[in-house]
Amino acid sequence: MLRKLQRILTGMEITSEGVKLVRVLREKRGWKLLGCISVPFPDDTLKLSYKNQNVNDPQAFTRVIREVVRRAEIKGGRIGLSIPSEVVKVSIQHYAELPGSVEETERMVAWWSRKSLPFPVEGSQISYHMLSQSARGEKRMLVAIGFKEVIREYEMDLREVKIYPEVIRPSCLNQFNFYQERIPPSGIVGFLGLLENFFTLFVFDAGDLIFYHGVRRGFSDIHFFQDVEMTMELFQNENPDMGLERLFFSTQAGFGADLKKGLESLGEMEVLELDAKEIIDASELENGSDGRLDLDRYASAIGAAQSLVE
């Protein structure tokens, strides 16, 4: 009876490879995973783009979503949604001053970003999160910018099966949000998040986010570690007086041991893999499954569900 009175939260992640859906519950002792489902797309269902239609095969897309909903035994409803990181521009931006309203701030961000966007700035959809001030007193924000028509395409196709996204974020941010409680608030610490075909590097100084960079590159690509090294060099060039002390990482694509070994070769920092089982209780599912449940694979979907209570 108690569980019926508590709000069960649903999170979904859409990637170029398929759809993941989770159902989670927030209890006094922490988060509990009630169910997780993953269904792959047929080849070429999605063609990821910042400015053009992403759903290349609408019928296949809808068929997979319907299958996910059927297996989850839900009748639609509101969800937190992770969309592909490859279709949203995320960056840290600095401003001497900010306008007084959200609308004016979004217009200012759009104007300053117009030259770097691969789509018309008039069609942009902007969200931002305020960070701490810089040492020079500048206002700092973590900004996500997408093309309205691309984001709307995902929304409208989900509405076909009575799924209504309440909070929409790129997968990379929801993946980090899931793990952020495990990032220590002291020292110069990094978090590397690996998705299927994308990775991100966040760097914090005493808990304050000072660097972010995302790259469209998966672990299986021959240039993966080269791009990770270049990203770490970019951080070092922007912050010449700082050095990473610890690098935490998580992967939704597997290869944890190989990733750890490769990261350890890139510097003298301590490298530690985060464990999703320390963040969310999945004991009911693990006890009823035949094999090991790879919780890290569902981090972005869980983060999407958790966004509904922020």
Side-chain angles (χ1 to χ4, degrees), residues 14 50 52-55 61 81 83 87-88 123-125 146-160 163 165 168:
I14 297 173
Y50 285 115
N52 298 318
Q53 176 178 307
N54 276 214
V55 182
F61 181 88
L81 177 64
I83 60 175
V87 305
V88 180
S124 61
Q125 184 166 323
F147 192 36
K148 286 181 182 177
E149 291 304 312
V150 169
I151 296 172
R152 180 173 171 78
E153 180 185 22
Y154 285 104
E155 289 186 87
M156 297 309 294
D157 284 347
L158 289 173
R159 285 175 180 268
E160 289 290 320
I163 295 292
I168 303 175

Side-chain angles (χ1 to χ4, degrees), residues 71-114:
R71 288 171 55 181
E73 298 181 345
I74 60 176
K75 296 180 180 179
R78 298 194 175 276
I79 66 167
L81 177 64
S82 289
I83 60 175
S85 302
E86 296 93 326
V87 305
V88 180
K89 287 277 189 180
V90 179
S91 63
I92 294 177
Q93 299 190 12
H94 303 71
Y95 298 96
E97 295 293 339
L98 291 176
S101 70
V102 172
E103 293 77 11
E104 290 174 334
T105 299
E106 290 178 353
R107 283 196 293 270
M108 186 187 73
V109 169
W111 191 85
W112 281 106
S113 304
R114 67 194 187 283

Side-chain angles (χ1 to χ4, degrees), residues 4-182:
K4 290 182 180 180
L5 297 176
Q6 293 174 301
R7 184 186 178 193
I8 296 175
L9 305 171
T10 302
M12 177 182 288
E13 181 189 16
I14 297 173
T15 75
S16 61
E17 308 294 329
V19 178
K20 303 185 190 89
L21 183 141
V22 300
R23 304 269 279 165
V24 304
L25 191 64
R26 190 174 193 175
E27 300 181 321
K28 288 184 178 180
R29 292 174 296 177
W31 289 97
K32 190 180 192 67
L33 182 64
L34 304 179
C36 58
I37 295 165
S38 178
V39 178
F41 283 131
D43 291 344
D44 298 323
T45 299
L46 293 188
K47 289 192 174 181
L48 303 183
S49 168
Y50 285 115
K51 62 180 180 179
N52 298 318
Q53 176 178 307
N54 276 214
V55 182
N56 186 55
D57 188 341
Q59 290 184 334
F61 181 88
T62 302
R63 189 164 58 248
V64 168
I65 297 295
R66 288 189 187 279
E67 174 64 13
V68 168
V69 170
R70 184 193 69 79
R71 288 171 55 181
E73 298 181 345
I74 60 176
K75 296 180 180 179
R78 298 194 175 276
I79 66 167
L81 177 64
S82 289
I83 60 175
S85 302
E86 296 93 326
V87 305
V88 180
K89 287 277 189 180
V90 179
S91 63
I92 294 177
Q93 299 190 12
H94 303 71
Y95 298 96
E97 295 293 339
L98 291 176
S101 70
V102 172
E103 293 77 11
E104 290 174 334
T105 299
E106 290 178 353
R107 283 196 293 270
M108 186 187 73
V109 169
W111 191 85
W112 281 106
S113 304
R114 67 194 187 283
K115 292 183 179 179
S116 64
L117 296 178
F119 46 78
V121 69
E122 297 79 14
S124 61
Q125 184 166 323
I126 296 170
S127 65
Y128 63 89
H129 174 73
M130 295 302 303
L131 304 173
S132 62
Q133 287 191 12
S134 71
R136 294 178 294 182
E138 295 173 315
K139 308 296 191 296
R140 301 168 58 252
M141 302 186 295
L142 182 66
V143 177
I145 308 179
F147 192 36
K148 286 181 182 177
E149 291 304 312
V150 169
I151 296 172
R152 180 173 171 78
E153 180 185 22
Y154 285 104
E155 289 186 87
M156 297 309 294
D157 284 347
L158 289 173
R159 285 175 180 268
E160 289 290 320
V161 292
K162 296 183 172 58
I163 295 292
Y164 305 98
E166 189 172 310
V167 180
I168 303 175
R169 291 174 179 162
S171 290
C172 61
L173 295 186
N174 276 330
Q175 182 192 36
F176 168 73
N177 287 341
F178 173 70
Y179 290 106
Q180 66 176 332
E181 67 178 62
R182 294 293 170 177

